[in-house]
Amino acid sequence: MIEILLRYWPEFLSGLKITLQLTLVGLGVGSVLGMLAALGRLYGSRWIRWLAIGYIELFRGTPLLVQLFAIYFGLPDFGVTVSRMQAALIVLAINSGAYQAEYFRGAIQAIGSGQMMAARSIGMSRWQAIRHIILPQALRVVIPAWSNEPVSLLKASAVVFLIAVPDVMTQAKIVAARTYQPLPSYFIVAFIYLIVVYALSTLLNRIERRYRIPGLEVESHRT
Amino acid sequence: MNERTNQQPIIEVIDLHKRYGDREVLKGISLRVYEGETVVIIGPSGTGKSTLLRCINLLTKPDRGVIKLDGVEITTPGTDEDKVRQHIGMVFQDFLLFNHLTVLNNVMIGLTKVLRMDPKEAEARAIKELERVGLGDHIHQYPGQLSGGQKQRVAIARSLAMDPRVILFDEPTSALDPELIGEVLEVMRMLAQEGMTMIVVTHEMGFAREVADRIIFIEKGVIVEEGPPDEMFYRPKVERTREFLWKITELYGHRKESEPHP
């Protein structure tokens, strides 16, 4: 296994870069989509609310793989050609956005209508209240639950190997085929995912602590 | 009230109706509150006192009736509700401080974000209001680090900073431990003396008797009786008023903190 790693580390490394790129872009664009969908679902007019619900349910209710194939093989029928990488990025972002929307919605609802009422009572508009009062609190509350998303997206991104995007999973498959030794290759890739997930979790824990509101700590350890 | 008939009320409510589903909470409430008055609203729970306050602040939309602020109707469609609420302060039973902001920022945020005041100026103003409610030493703490009484005083300072025409208090001491009620009532008493116009929903009969210019007794969505405290307590015209006041004084009125100061 060490031998394979020593010989093929450039392949794994380039794959890891693609995987991280897919995860981070998917997460970033997904968080914007998710926030818009959550706000639309909670505060939008009836039309916008249904649009948001439709988006969320459609992309949470169908397999990621189906979405990937539909975009990559389906879009050309409408005259839009996308590269493999573009298709992967679009699908991961849209899919992640649907999940993130529900995390955000839960957090916003947990902040409660009382905070909104208090904000309105000093003359804030609804948008000012959302921006200055609701979101700063909701974004803190959301961190523990939302922390699932980077981890789960990272692992879900492995499906892109089915449209031959050269991510770390695809590289592992290539190495496995080249060496005729599937086991070490997949062990290595599993280990790579594990390390990245661990690093992500540590980072997110730090962020959570950093933005904790004094006096409102949720007990994170037993006393 | 006679000397006030020529004066324009700050708040005027005319024939206000509000129903939730098939329950009619307000069945035609009319009242006037004049500059510098402290009006205490009492009544059994579920009789629409909170709903009335929320209607006045446009947080709840009445079904029928008119509300005027300084003679201008604010219940017409197209009214700038945000603008109206800047002039009507509100203090809630459960404080509703902004938990992610320090005490200072709780009071400042309305000034900087709503009134677009210069931050330096806003800070000075906020500190002044916090000192007024006796919290000058706590400005950098977060709401989660304060006692209930302190929280409610921050909430009062938050309202005061906006320089409202009137402040509505919705059972401001009902969520407090008994020993913390006094400090909040003390601040409200001070405001009344300074001439702040206030509408207070409360069960604190000591406060009502001592501070109120007028007491309004509401039951089942209508005003049963209103008058100066002495009349309401000692010479009520309606038997139900006597009965209610007697009961509620028995329950809430004998607390040391709310007794009139000698």
Side-chain angles (χ1 to χ4, degrees), chain B residues 99-145:
Chain B
N99 292 315
H100 62 304
L101 298 176
T102 60
V103 165
L104 180 63
N105 283 325
N106 261 277
V107 182
M108 269 178 70
I109 195 163
L111 299 173
T112 53
K113 302 299 179 199
V114 178
L115 300 182
R116 310 240 170 248
M117 201 185 266
D118 170 72
K120 279 233 169 65
E121 207 180 317
E123 185 177 328
R125 178 68 201 266
I127 290 174
K128 197 187 105 197
E129 298 302 348
L130 283 163
E131 281 168 351
R132 199 166 159 197
V133 299
L135 288 171
D137 297 336
H138 296 76
I139 61 171
H140 296 302
Q141 280 177 290
Y142 283 85
Q145 300 168 314

Side-chain angles (χ1 to χ4, degrees), chain A residues 137 140 208-219, chain B residues 97-103 105-106 140-146 151:
Chain A
Q137 296 183 67
R140 287 172 164 95
E208 190 187 335
R209 270 202 302 276
R210 168 79 176 68
Y211 289 102
R212 202 165 273 179
I213 301 167
L216 278 190
E217 290 91 352
V218 183
E219 280 303 316
Chain B
L97 294 182
F98 306 132
N99 292 315
H100 62 304
L101 298 176
T102 60
V103 165
N105 283 325
N106 261 277
H140 296 302
Q141 280 177 290
Y142 283 85
Q145 300 168 314
L146 302 179
K151 281 185 203 170

